[in-house]
mmCIF file with all atom_site columns, all heavy atoms in Angstrom:
data_model
loop_
_atom_site.group_PDB
_atom_site.id
_atom_site.type_symbol
_atom_site.label_atom_id
_atom_site.label_alt_id
_atom_site.label_comp_id
_atom_site.label_asym_id
_atom_site.label_entity_id
_atom_site.label_seq_id
_atom_site.pdbx_PDB_ins_code
_atom_site.Cartn_x
_atom_site.Cartn_y
_atom_site.Cartn_z
_atom_site.occupancy
_atom_site.B_iso_or_equiv
_atom_site.pdbx_formal_charge
_atom_site.auth_seq_id
_atom_site.auth_comp_id
_atom_site.auth_asym_id
_atom_site.auth_atom_id
_atom_site.pdbx_PDB_model_num
ATOM 1   N N   . GLY A 1 1  ? 27.744 41.223 -13.829 1.00 0.00 ? 413 GLY A N   1
ATOM 2   C CA  . GLY A 1 1  ? 26.450 41.306 -13.166 1.00 0.00 ? 413 GLY A CA  1
ATOM 3   C C   . GLY A 1 1  ? 26.272 40.381 -11.976 1.00 0.00 ? 413 GLY A C   1
ATOM 4   O O   . GLY A 1 1  ? 25.190 40.326 -11.395 1.00 0.00 ? 413 GLY A O   1
ATOM 5   N N   . ILE A 1 2  ? 27.289 39.620 -11.584 1.00 0.00 ? 414 ILE A N   1
ATOM 6   C CA  . ILE A 1 2  ? 27.176 38.763 -10.404 1.00 0.00 ? 414 ILE A CA  1
ATOM 7   C C   . ILE A 1 2  ? 28.381 38.987 -9.498  1.00 0.00 ? 414 ILE A C   1
ATOM 8   O O   . ILE A 1 2  ? 29.445 39.390 -9.946  1.00 0.00 ? 414 ILE A O   1
ATOM 9   C CB  . ILE A 1 2  ? 27.089 37.265 -10.772 1.00 0.00 ? 414 ILE A CB  1
ATOM 10  C CG1 . ILE A 1 2  ? 28.376 36.798 -11.476 1.00 0.00 ? 414 ILE A CG1 1
ATOM 11  C CG2 . ILE A 1 2  ? 25.871 36.972 -11.626 1.00 0.00 ? 414 ILE A CG2 1
ATOM 12  C CD1 . ILE A 1 2  ? 28.468 35.294 -11.612 1.00 0.00 ? 414 ILE A CD1 1
ATOM 13  N N   . GLU A 1 3  ? 28.171 38.733 -8.224  1.00 0.00 ? 415 GLU A N   1
ATOM 14  C CA  . GLU A 1 3  ? 29.264 38.765 -7.263  1.00 0.00 ? 415 GLU A CA  1
ATOM 15  C C   . GLU A 1 3  ? 29.536 37.335 -6.804  1.00 0.00 ? 415 GLU A C   1
ATOM 16  O O   . GLU A 1 3  ? 28.617 36.571 -6.563  1.00 0.00 ? 415 GLU A O   1
ATOM 17  C CB  . GLU A 1 3  ? 28.910 39.638 -6.061  1.00 0.00 ? 415 GLU A CB  1
ATOM 18  C CG  . GLU A 1 3  ? 28.782 41.115 -6.396  1.00 0.00 ? 415 GLU A CG  1
ATOM 19  C CD  . GLU A 1 3  ? 28.546 41.962 -5.153  1.00 0.00 ? 415 GLU A CD  1
ATOM 20  O OE1 . GLU A 1 3  ? 28.667 41.405 -4.042  1.00 0.00 ? 415 GLU A OE1 1
ATOM 21  O OE2 . GLU A 1 3  ? 28.251 43.148 -5.306  1.00 0.00 ? 415 GLU A OE2 1
ATOM 22  N N   . ARG A 1 4  ? 30.789 36.977 -6.699  1.00 0.00 ? 416 ARG A N   1
ATOM 23  C CA  . ARG A 1 4  ? 31.117 35.638 -6.238  1.00 0.00 ? 416 ARG A CA  1
ATOM 24  C C   . ARG A 1 4  ? 32.392 35.674 -5.409  1.00 0.00 ? 416 ARG A C   1
ATOM 25  O O   . ARG A 1 4  ? 33.211 36.588 -5.552  1.00 0.00 ? 416 ARG A O   1
ATOM 26  C CB  . ARG A 1 4  ? 31.262 34.675 -7.411  1.00 0.00 ? 416 ARG A CB  1
ATOM 27  C CG  . ARG A 1 4  ? 32.254 35.112 -8.471  1.00 0.00 ? 416 ARG A CG  1
ATOM 28  C CD  . ARG A 1 4  ? 32.301 34.111 -9.619  1.00 0.00 ? 416 ARG A CD  1
ATOM 29  N NE  . ARG A 1 4  ? 33.055 34.615 -10.751 1.00 0.00 ? 416 ARG A NE  1
ATOM 30  C CZ  . ARG A 1 4  ? 33.318 33.913 -11.840 1.00 0.00 ? 416 ARG A CZ  1
ATOM 31  N NH1 . ARG A 1 4  ? 32.870 32.694 -11.946 1.00 0.00 ? 416 ARG A NH1 1
ATOM 32  N NH2 . ARG A 1 4  ? 34.013 34.430 -12.831 1.00 0.00 ? 416 ARG A NH2 1
ATOM 33  N N   . TYR A 1 5  ? 32.527 34.675 -4.580  1.00 0.00 ? 417 TYR A N   1
ATOM 34  C CA  . TYR A 1 5  ? 33.699 34.560 -3.721  1.00 0.00 ? 417 TYR A CA  1
ATOM 35  C C   . TYR A 1 5  ? 34.955 34.348 -4.557  1.00 0.00 ? 417 TYR A C   1
ATOM 36  O O   . TYR A 1 5  ? 34.969 33.542 -5.490  1.00 0.00 ? 417 TYR A O   1
ATOM 37  C CB  . TYR A 1 5  ? 33.502 33.395 -2.754  1.00 0.00 ? 417 TYR A CB  1
ATOM 38  C CG  . TYR A 1 5  ? 34.744 33.019 -1.978  1.00 0.00 ? 417 TYR A CG  1
ATOM 39  C CD1 . TYR A 1 5  ? 35.276 33.881 -1.025  1.00 0.00 ? 417 TYR A CD1 1
ATOM 40  C CD2 . TYR A 1 5  ? 35.370 31.801 -2.195  1.00 0.00 ? 417 TYR A CD2 1
ATOM 41  C CE1 . TYR A 1 5  ? 36.408 33.539 -0.307  1.00 0.00 ? 417 TYR A CE1 1
ATOM 42  C CE2 . TYR A 1 5  ? 36.508 31.443 -1.476  1.00 0.00 ? 417 TYR A CE2 1
ATOM 43  C CZ  . TYR A 1 5  ? 37.021 32.315 -0.542  1.00 0.00 ? 417 TYR A CZ  1
ATOM 44  O OH  . TYR A 1 5  ? 38.146 31.969 0.159   1.00 0.00 ? 417 TYR A OH  1
ATOM 45  N N   . LYS A 1 6  ? 35.998 35.084 -4.241  1.00 0.00 ? 418 LYS A N   1
ATOM 46  C CA  . LYS A 1 6  ? 37.283 34.928 -4.917  1.00 0.00 ? 418 LYS A CA  1
ATOM 47  C C   . LYS A 1 6  ? 38.347 34.565 -3.882  1.00 0.00 ? 418 LYS A C   1
ATOM 48  O O   . LYS A 1 6  ? 38.609 35.328 -2.959  1.00 0.00 ? 418 LYS A O   1
ATOM 49  C CB  . LYS A 1 6  ? 37.656 36.227 -5.649  1.00 0.00 ? 418 LYS A CB  1
ATOM 50  C CG  . LYS A 1 6  ? 36.718 36.563 -6.805  1.00 0.00 ? 418 LYS A CG  1
ATOM 51  C CD  . LYS A 1 6  ? 37.153 37.820 -7.533  1.00 0.00 ? 418 LYS A CD  1
ATOM 52  C CE  . LYS A 1 6  ? 36.208 38.128 -8.696  1.00 0.00 ? 418 LYS A CE  1
ATOM 53  N NZ  . LYS A 1 6  ? 36.603 39.359 -9.423  1.00 0.00 ? 418 LYS A NZ  1
ATOM 54  N N   . ALA A 1 7  ? 38.913 33.393 -4.056  1.00 0.00 ? 419 ALA A N   1
ATOM 55  C CA  . ALA A 1 7  ? 39.890 32.893 -3.095  1.00 0.00 ? 419 ALA A CA  1
ATOM 56  C C   . ALA A 1 7  ? 41.248 33.549 -3.303  1.00 0.00 ? 419 ALA A C   1
ATOM 57  O O   . ALA A 1 7  ? 41.589 34.001 -4.397  1.00 0.00 ? 419 ALA A O   1
ATOM 58  C CB  . ALA A 1 7  ? 40.022 31.380 -3.232  1.00 0.00 ? 419 ALA A CB  1
ATOM 59  N N   . SER A 1 8  ? 42.043 33.552 -2.238  1.00 0.00 ? 420 SER A N   1
ATOM 60  C CA  . SER A 1 8  ? 43.405 34.063 -2.326  1.00 0.00 ? 420 SER A CA  1
ATOM 61  C C   . SER A 1 8  ? 44.356 32.928 -2.633  1.00 0.00 ? 420 SER A C   1
ATOM 62  O O   . SER A 1 8  ? 43.974 31.760 -2.680  1.00 0.00 ? 420 SER A O   1
ATOM 63  C CB  . SER A 1 8  ? 43.794 34.730 -1.003  1.00 0.00 ? 420 SER A CB  1
ATOM 64  O OG  . SER A 1 8  ? 43.720 33.778 0.049   1.00 0.00 ? 420 SER A OG  1
ATOM 65  N N   . GLY A 1 9  ? 45.612 33.249 -2.818  1.00 0.00 ? 421 GLY A N   1
ATOM 66  C CA  . GLY A 1 9  ? 46.630 32.235 -3.066  1.00 0.00 ? 421 GLY A CA  1
ATOM 67  C C   . GLY A 1 9  ? 46.583 31.712 -4.483  1.00 0.00 ? 421 GLY A C   1
ATOM 68  O O   . GLY A 1 9  ? 45.766 32.110 -5.303  1.00 0.00 ? 421 GLY A O   1
ATOM 69  N N   . GLY A 1 10 ? 47.468 30.773 -4.778  1.00 0.00 ? 422 GLY A N   1
ATOM 70  C CA  . GLY A 1 10 ? 47.510 30.203 -6.118  1.00 0.00 ? 422 GLY A CA  1
ATOM 71  C C   . GLY A 1 10 ? 47.996 31.215 -7.132  1.00 0.00 ? 422 GLY A C   1
ATOM 72  O O   . GLY A 1 10 ? 48.821 32.077 -6.848  1.00 0.00 ? 422 GLY A O   1
ATOM 73  N N   . ASN A 1 11 ? 47.464 31.098 -8.341  1.00 0.00 ? 423 ASN A N   1
ATOM 74  C CA  . ASN A 1 11 ? 47.803 32.049 -9.389  1.00 0.00 ? 423 ASN A CA  1
ATOM 75  C C   . ASN A 1 11 ? 46.532 32.470 -10.107 1.00 0.00 ? 423 ASN A C   1
ATOM 76  O O   . ASN A 1 11 ? 45.434 32.168 -9.650  1.00 0.00 ? 423 ASN A O   1
ATOM 77  C CB  . ASN A 1 11 ? 48.811 31.415 -10.367 1.00 0.00 ? 423 ASN A CB  1
ATOM 78  C CG  . ASN A 1 11 ? 48.351 30.043 -10.846 1.00 0.00 ? 423 ASN A CG  1
ATOM 79  O OD1 . ASN A 1 11 ? 47.176 29.848 -11.164 1.00 0.00 ? 423 ASN A OD1 1
ATOM 80  N ND2 . ASN A 1 11 ? 49.264 29.086 -10.886 1.00 0.00 ? 423 ASN A ND2 1
ATOM 81  N N   . ASN A 1 12 ? 46.650 33.171 -11.176 1.00 0.00 ? 424 ASN A N   1
ATOM 82  C CA  . ASN A 1 12 ? 45.480 33.720 -11.861 1.00 0.00 ? 424 ASN A CA  1
ATOM 83  C C   . ASN A 1 12 ? 44.949 32.807 -12.965 1.00 0.00 ? 424 ASN A C   1
ATOM 84  O O   . ASN A 1 12 ? 44.121 33.221 -13.768 1.00 0.00 ? 424 ASN A O   1
ATOM 85  C CB  . ASN A 1 12 ? 45.816 35.095 -12.448 1.00 0.00 ? 424 ASN A CB  1
ATOM 86  C CG  . ASN A 1 12 ? 46.069 36.120 -11.361 1.00 0.00 ? 424 ASN A CG  1
ATOM 87  O OD1 . ASN A 1 12 ? 45.396 36.113 -10.327 1.00 0.00 ? 424 ASN A OD1 1
ATOM 88  N ND2 . ASN A 1 12 ? 47.057 36.981 -11.573 1.00 0.00 ? 424 ASN A ND2 1
ATOM 89  N N   . THR A 1 13 ? 45.425 31.571 -13.015 1.00 0.00 ? 425 THR A N   1
ATOM 90  C CA  . THR A 1 13 ? 44.957 30.639 -14.028 1.00 0.00 ? 425 THR A CA  1
ATOM 91  C C   . THR A 1 13 ? 44.140 29.524 -13.376 1.00 0.00 ? 425 THR A C   1
ATOM 92  O O   . THR A 1 13 ? 44.083 29.408 -12.149 1.00 0.00 ? 425 THR A O   1
ATOM 93  C CB  . THR A 1 13 ? 46.142 30.019 -14.788 1.00 0.00 ? 425 THR A CB  1
ATOM 94  O OG1 . THR A 1 13 ? 46.948 29.268 -13.864 1.00 0.00 ? 425 THR A OG1 1
ATOM 95  C CG2 . THR A 1 13 ? 46.986 31.108 -15.432 1.00 0.00 ? 425 THR A CG2 1
ATOM 96  N N   . SER A 1 14 ? 43.491 28.710 -14.195 1.00 0.00 ? 426 SER A N   1
ATOM 97  C CA  . SER A 1 14 ? 42.731 27.569 -13.701 1.00 0.00 ? 426 SER A CA  1
ATOM 98  C C   . SER A 1 14 ? 43.130 26.327 -14.488 1.00 0.00 ? 426 SER A C   1
ATOM 99  O O   . SER A 1 14 ? 42.994 26.297 -15.709 1.00 0.00 ? 426 SER A O   1
ATOM 100 C CB  . SER A 1 14 ? 41.222 27.813 -13.842 1.00 0.00 ? 426 SER A CB  1
ATOM 101 O OG  . SER A 1 14 ? 40.488 26.688 -13.426 1.00 0.00 ? 426 SER A OG  1
ATOM 102 N N   . ASP A 1 15 ? 43.614 25.304 -13.795 1.00 0.00 ? 427 ASP A N   1
ATOM 103 C CA  . ASP A 1 15 ? 43.955 24.049 -14.461 1.00 0.00 ? 427 ASP A CA  1
ATOM 104 C C   . ASP A 1 15 ? 43.166 22.885 -13.869 1.00 0.00 ? 427 ASP A C   1
ATOM 105 O O   . ASP A 1 15 ? 43.600 21.733 -13.912 1.00 0.00 ? 427 ASP A O   1
ATOM 106 C CB  . ASP A 1 15 ? 45.458 23.781 -14.409 1.00 0.00 ? 427 ASP A CB  1
ATOM 107 C CG  . ASP A 1 15 ? 46.000 23.645 -12.989 1.00 0.00 ? 427 ASP A CG  1
ATOM 108 O OD1 . ASP A 1 15 ? 45.226 23.824 -12.024 1.00 0.00 ? 427 ASP A OD1 1
ATOM 109 O OD2 . ASP A 1 15 ? 47.195 23.341 -12.832 1.00 0.00 ? 427 ASP A OD2 1
ATOM 110 N N   . VAL A 1 16 ? 41.989 23.182 -13.295 1.00 0.00 ? 428 VAL A N   1
ATOM 111 C CA  . VAL A 1 16 ? 41.115 22.141 -12.748 1.00 0.00 ? 428 VAL A CA  1
ATOM 112 C C   . VAL A 1 16 ? 39.890 21.983 -13.637 1.00 0.00 ? 428 VAL A C   1
ATOM 113 O O   . VAL A 1 16 ? 39.568 22.862 -14.446 1.00 0.00 ? 428 VAL A O   1
ATOM 114 C CB  . VAL A 1 16 ? 40.673 22.474 -11.309 1.00 0.00 ? 428 VAL A CB  1
ATOM 115 C CG1 . VAL A 1 16 ? 41.882 22.576 -10.397 1.00 0.00 ? 428 VAL A CG1 1
ATOM 116 C CG2 . VAL A 1 16 ? 39.855 23.761 -11.266 1.00 0.00 ? 428 VAL A CG2 1
ATOM 117 N N   . GLU A 1 17 ? 39.207 20.847 -13.499 1.00 0.00 ? 429 GLU A N   1
ATOM 118 C CA  . GLU A 1 17 ? 37.999 20.604 -14.292 1.00 0.00 ? 429 GLU A CA  1
ATOM 119 C C   . GLU A 1 17 ? 36.922 21.631 -13.975 1.00 0.00 ? 429 GLU A C   1
ATOM 120 O O   . GLU A 1 17 ? 36.886 22.175 -12.858 1.00 0.00 ? 429 GLU A O   1
ATOM 121 C CB  . GLU A 1 17 ? 37.475 19.182 -14.042 1.00 0.00 ? 429 GLU A CB  1
ATOM 122 C CG  . GLU A 1 17 ? 36.682 18.983 -12.757 1.00 0.00 ? 429 GLU A CG  1
ATOM 123 C CD  . GLU A 1 17 ? 37.510 18.709 -11.518 1.00 0.00 ? 429 GLU A CD  1
ATOM 124 O OE1 . GLU A 1 17 ? 38.757 18.781 -11.601 1.00 0.00 ? 429 GLU A OE1 1
ATOM 125 O OE2 . GLU A 1 17 ? 36.918 18.444 -10.451 1.00 0.00 ? 429 GLU A OE2 1
ATOM 126 N N   . ASP A 1 18 ? 36.043 21.920 -14.946 1.00 0.00 ? 430 ASP A N   1
ATOM 127 C CA  . ASP A 1 18 ? 34.904 22.777 -14.635 1.00 0.00 ? 430 ASP A CA  1
ATOM 128 C C   . ASP A 1 18 ? 33.628 21.965 -14.421 1.00 0.00 ? 430 ASP A C   1
ATOM 129 O O   . ASP A 1 18 ? 32.624 22.482 -13.964 1.00 0.00 ? 430 ASP A O   1
ATOM 130 C CB  . ASP A 1 18 ? 34.687 23.876 -15.681 1.00 0.00 ? 430 ASP A CB  1
ATOM 131 C CG  . ASP A 1 18 ? 34.537 23.369 -17.094 1.00 0.00 ? 430 ASP A CG  1
ATOM 132 O OD1 . ASP A 1 18 ? 33.823 22.380 -17.294 1.00 0.00 ? 430 ASP A OD1 1
ATOM 133 O OD2 . ASP A 1 18 ? 35.128 23.977 -18.005 1.00 0.00 ? 430 ASP A OD2 1
ATOM 134 N N   . MET A 1 19 ? 33.678 20.652 -14.740 1.00 0.00 ? 431 MET A N   1
ATOM 135 C CA  . MET A 1 19 ? 32.526 19.790 -14.514 1.00 0.00 ? 431 MET A CA  1
ATOM 136 C C   . MET A 1 19 ? 32.990 18.341 -14.411 1.00 0.00 ? 431 MET A C   1
ATOM 137 O O   . MET A 1 19 ? 33.988 17.958 -15.021 1.00 0.00 ? 431 MET A O   1
ATOM 138 C CB  . MET A 1 19 ? 31.508 19.927 -15.654 1.00 0.00 ? 431 MET A CB  1
ATOM 139 C CG  . MET A 1 19 ? 30.257 19.089 -15.484 1.00 0.00 ? 431 MET A CG  1
ATOM 140 S SD  . MET A 1 19 ? 29.123 19.265 -16.887 1.00 0.00 ? 431 MET A SD  1
ATOM 141 C CE  . MET A 1 19 ? 27.884 18.049 -16.430 1.00 0.00 ? 431 MET A CE  1
ATOM 142 N N   . CYS A 1 20 ? 32.263 17.555 -13.629 1.00 0.00 ? 432 CYS A N   1
ATOM 143 C CA  . CYS A 1 20 ? 32.578 16.132 -13.495 1.00 0.00 ? 432 CYS A CA  1
ATOM 144 C C   . CYS A 1 20 ? 31.290 15.344 -13.331 1.00 0.00 ? 432 CYS A C   1
ATOM 145 O O   . CYS A 1 20 ? 30.361 15.777 -12.630 1.00 0.00 ? 432 CYS A O   1
ATOM 146 C CB  . CYS A 1 20 ? 33.474 15.920 -12.267 1.00 0.00 ? 432 CYS A CB  1
ATOM 147 S SG  . CYS A 1 20 ? 33.867 14.183 -11.941 1.00 0.00 ? 432 CYS A SG  1
ATOM 148 N N   . VAL A 1 21 ? 31.211 14.188 -13.990 1.00 0.00 ? 433 VAL A N   1
ATOM 149 C CA  . VAL A 1 21 ? 30.107 13.253 -13.789 1.00 0.00 ? 433 VAL A CA  1
ATOM 150 C C   . VAL A 1 21 ? 30.703 11.870 -13.526 1.00 0.00 ? 433 VAL A C   1
ATOM 151 O O   . VAL A 1 21 ? 31.799 11.551 -14.005 1.00 0.00 ? 433 VAL A O   1
ATOM 152 C CB  . VAL A 1 21 ? 29.149 13.204 -15.001 1.00 0.00 ? 433 VAL A CB  1
ATOM 153 C CG1 . VAL A 1 21 ? 28.449 14.533 -15.187 1.00 0.00 ? 433 VAL A CG1 1
ATOM 154 C CG2 . VAL A 1 21 ? 29.887 12.812 -16.273 1.00 0.00 ? 433 VAL A CG2 1
ATOM 155 N N   . ALA A 1 22 ? 29.980 11.065 -12.758 1.00 0.00 ? 434 ALA A N   1
ATOM 156 C CA  . ALA A 1 22 ? 30.526 9.750  -12.407 1.00 0.00 ? 434 ALA A CA  1
ATOM 157 C C   . ALA A 1 22 ? 29.413 8.787  -12.025 1.00 0.00 ? 434 ALA A C   1
ATOM 158 O O   . ALA A 1 22 ? 28.299 9.194  -11.666 1.00 0.00 ? 434 ALA A O   1
ATOM 159 C CB  . ALA A 1 22 ? 31.512 9.880  -11.258 1.00 0.00 ? 434 ALA A CB  1
ATOM 160 N N   . MET A 1 23 ? 29.722 7.510  -12.079 1.00 0.00 ? 435 MET A N   1
ATOM 161 C CA  . MET A 1 23 ? 28.850 6.461  -11.564 1.00 0.00 ? 435 MET A CA  1
ATOM 162 C C   . MET A 1 23 ? 29.685 5.529  -10.702 1.00 0.00 ? 435 MET A C   1
ATOM 163 O O   . MET A 1 23 ? 30.742 5.051  -11.128 1.00 0.00 ? 435 MET A O   1
ATOM 164 C CB  . MET A 1 23 ? 28.193 5.662  -12.686 1.00 0.00 ? 435 MET A CB  1
ATOM 165 C CG  . MET A 1 23 ? 27.181 4.654  -12.153 1.00 0.00 ? 435 MET A CG  1
ATOM 166 S SD  . MET A 1 23 ? 26.326 3.704  -13.444 1.00 0.00 ? 435 MET A SD  1
ATOM 167 C CE  . MET A 1 23 ? 27.594 2.491  -13.818 1.00 0.00 ? 435 MET A CE  1
ATOM 168 N N   . ILE A 1 24 ? 29.215 5.303  -9.483  1.00 0.00 ? 436 ILE A N   1
ATOM 169 C CA  . ILE A 1 24 ? 29.928 4.473  -8.515  1.00 0.00 ? 436 ILE A CA  1
ATOM 170 C C   . ILE A 1 24 ? 29.082 3.246  -8.208  1.00 0.00 ? 436 ILE A C   1
ATOM 171 O O   . ILE A 1 24 ? 27.908 3.372  -7.824  1.00 0.00 ? 436 ILE A O   1
ATOM 172 C CB  . ILE A 1 24 ? 30.192 5.249  -7.210  1.00 0.00 ? 436 ILE A CB  1
ATOM 173 C CG1 . ILE A 1 24 ? 30.921 6.569  -7.509  1.00 0.00 ? 436 ILE A CG1 1
ATOM 174 C CG2 . ILE A 1 24 ? 30.990 4.403  -6.226  1.00 0.00 ? 436 ILE A CG2 1
ATOM 175 C CD1 . ILE A 1 24 ? 30.672 7.636  -6.484  1.00 0.00 ? 436 ILE A CD1 1
ATOM 176 N N   . ARG A 1 25 ? 29.662 2.068  -8.371  1.00 0.00 ? 437 ARG A N   1
ATOM 177 C CA  . ARG A 1 25 ? 29.011 0.812  -7.982  1.00 0.00 ? 437 ARG A CA  1
ATOM 178 C C   . ARG A 1 25 ? 29.584 0.362  -6.639  1.00 0.00 ? 437 ARG A C   1
ATOM 179 O O   . ARG A 1 25 ? 30.798 0.414  -6.432  1.00 0.00 ? 437 ARG A O   1
ATOM 180 C CB  . ARG A 1 25 ? 29.251 -0.280 -9.029  1.00 0.00 ? 437 ARG A CB  1
ATOM 181 C CG  . ARG A 1 25 ? 28.613 -0.014 -10.384 1.00 0.00 ? 437 ARG A CG  1
ATOM 182 C CD  . ARG A 1 25 ? 28.979 -1.146 -11.344 1.00 0.00 ? 437 ARG A CD  1
ATOM 183 N NE  . ARG A 1 25 ? 28.455 -0.921 -12.676 1.00 0.00 ? 437 ARG A NE  1
ATOM 184 C CZ  . ARG A 1 25 ? 27.276 -1.353 -13.113 1.00 0.00 ? 437 ARG A CZ  1
ATOM 185 N NH1 . ARG A 1 25 ? 26.501 -2.044 -12.296 1.00 0.00 ? 437 ARG A NH1 1
ATOM 186 N NH2 . ARG A 1 25 ? 26.880 -1.111 -14.345 1.00 0.00 ? 437 ARG A NH2 1
ATOM 187 N N   . PHE A 1 26 ? 28.693 -0.101 -5.747  1.00 0.00 ? 438 PHE A N   1
ATOM 188 C CA  . PHE A 1 26 ? 29.121 -0.557 -4.431  1.00 0.00 ? 438 PHE A CA  1
ATOM 189 C C   . PHE A 1 26 ? 28.945 -2.061 -4.287  1.00 0.00 ? 438 PHE A C   1
ATOM 190 O O   . PHE A 1 26 ? 28.210 -2.705 -5.053  1.00 0.00 ? 438 PHE A O   1
ATOM 191 C CB  . PHE A 1 26 ? 28.338 0.178  -3.344  1.00 0.00 ? 438 PHE A CB  1
ATOM 192 C CG  . PHE A 1 26 ? 28.567 1.661  -3.329  1.00 0.00 ? 438 PHE A CG  1
ATOM 193 C CD1 . PHE A 1 26 ? 27.665 2.527  -3.937  1.00 0.00 ? 438 PHE A CD1 1
ATOM 194 C CD2 . PHE A 1 26 ? 29.690 2.200  -2.725  1.00 0.00 ? 438 PHE A CD2 1
ATOM 195 C CE1 . PHE A 1 26 ? 27.876 3.893  -3.933  1.00 0.00 ? 438 PHE A CE1 1
ATOM 196 C CE2 . PHE A 1 26 ? 29.917 3.564  -2.718  1.00 0.00 ? 438 PHE A CE2 1
ATOM 197 C CZ  . PHE A 1 26 ? 29.003 4.419  -3.322  1.00 0.00 ? 438 PHE A CZ  1
ATOM 198 N N   . ASP A 1 27 ? 29.621 -2.606 -3.270  1.00 0.00 ? 439 ASP A N   1
ATOM 199 C CA  . ASP A 1 27 ? 29.638 -4.057 -3.110  1.00 0.00 ? 439 ASP A CA  1
ATOM 200 C C   . ASP A 1 27 ? 28.281 -4.647 -2.725  1.00 0.00 ? 439 ASP A C   1
ATOM 201 O O   . ASP A 1 27 ? 28.074 -5.851 -2.842  1.00 0.00 ? 439 ASP A O   1
ATOM 202 C CB  . ASP A 1 27 ? 30.701 -4.466 -2.090  1.00 0.00 ? 439 ASP A CB  1
ATOM 203 C CG  . ASP A 1 27 ? 30.414 -3.944 -0.688  1.00 0.00 ? 439 ASP A CG  1
ATOM 204 O OD1 . ASP A 1 27 ? 29.561 -3.048 -0.532  1.00 0.00 ? 439 ASP A OD1 1
ATOM 205 O OD2 . ASP A 1 27 ? 31.043 -4.442 0.272   1.00 0.00 ? 439 ASP A OD2 1
ATOM 206 N N   . ASP A 1 28 ? 27.346 -3.824 -2.256  1.00 0.00 ? 440 ASP A N   1
ATOM 207 C CA  . ASP A 1 28 ? 26.015 -4.336 -1.899  1.00 0.00 ? 440 ASP A CA  1
ATOM 208 C C   . ASP A 1 28 ? 25.026 -4.219 -3.055  1.00 0.00 ? 440 ASP A C   1
ATOM 209 O O   . ASP A 1 28 ? 23.828 -4.430 -2.882  1.00 0.00 ? 440 ASP A O   1
ATOM 210 C CB  . ASP A 1 28 ? 25.472 -3.601 -0.673  1.00 0.00 ? 440 ASP A CB  1
ATOM 211 C CG  . ASP A 1 28 ? 25.212 -2.117 -0.914  1.00 0.00 ? 440 ASP A CG  1
ATOM 212 O OD1 . ASP A 1 28 ? 25.603 -1.606 -1.993  1.00 0.00 ? 440 ASP A OD1 1
ATOM 213 O OD2 . ASP A 1 28 ? 24.625 -1.464 -0.033  1.00 0.00 ? 440 ASP A OD2 1
#
């Protein structure tokens, strides 16, 4: 029921994260 962009290249599997959360502290 949805259309989405499909990239070329690579292969038909996914080995990357599907979500990421983080906290970054800076020197100031």
Side-chain angles (χ1 to χ4, degrees):
I414 63 168
E415 293 185 10
R416 55 182 170 176
Y417 170 68
K418 294 182 179 180
S420 60
N423 50 43
N424 293 322
T425 63
S426 177
D427 61 356
V428 299
E429 79 275 6
D430 55 44
M431 181 182 175
C432 177
V433 295
M435 185 178 79
I436 306 153
R437 294 178 183 269
F438 297 98
D439 64 345
D440 65 352

